Amino acid sequence: RLSPRRRRRRGPAAEGSSPRDGGSMRCQVSVLYFARSAELAGLRCETLSVPREITSLQLWEEIVKVHPRLALIRDQVVFAVRQEYVLLGDQLLVLQPGDEVAIIPPISGG
């Protein structure tokens, strides 16, 4: 078990850098693409392995690593996790296996 030392961690984890570390800390999520995001990604849905604890912006960056063309719509996209809208930023998400992440570009009206 963990010892009760105060300064147990040193290095990047102690500096708050990376929820991305550790393969066991990842989970599979369903990513759904709509409208322009589906065109740019070339598909409508897929399963990706992402860190369980990740900010919304880091999650977006993980998706863009897989589909770089999505970077074109970054400033226009609506992002939803478990059917709740999320702003791209430093909001921490705690994901569970099977969670849905939706990429919804704005729909222009006429």
Side-chain angles (χ1 to χ4, degrees):
R1 294 250 167 191
L2 296 174
S3 69
R5 290 184 205 160
R6 292 179 107 172
R7 294 185 181 183
R8 180 142 176 25
R9 290 187 178 177
R10 292 201 176 254
E15 294 163 13
S17 68
S18 185
R20 300 178 201 227
D21 291 348
S24 64
M25 299 301 293
R26 297 180 79 84
C27 68
Q28 303 284 319
V29 296
S30 297
V31 183
L32 309 176
Y33 301 94
F34 295 93
R36 180 95 170 112
S37 69
E39 293 171 20
L40 293 170
L43 48 89
R44 296 210 178 272
C45 65
E46 69 183 325
T47 300
L48 294 179
S49 175
V50 297
R52 289 184 68 135
E53 292 186 12
I54 189 169
T55 67
S56 55
L57 182 57
Q58 288 171 330
L59 179 57
W60 171 252
E61 290 168 351
E62 290 275 328
I63 294 167
V64 170
K65 279 184 200 173
V66 178
H67 303 288
R69 293 179 60 200
L70 289 173
L72 296 170
I73 60 171
R74 183 203 185 279
D75 294 332
Q76 306 155 359
V77 73
V78 175
F79 197 55
V81 177
R82 292 183 296 265
Q83 300 182 355
E84 292 186 25
Y85 293 118
V86 176
L87 295 176
L88 295 183
D90 61 0
Q91 175 184 351
L92 183 65
L93 304 171
V94 179
L95 301 172
Q96 300 297 319
D99 277 353
E100 271 186 3
V101 176
I103 310 300
I104 309 164
I107 299 168
S108 60

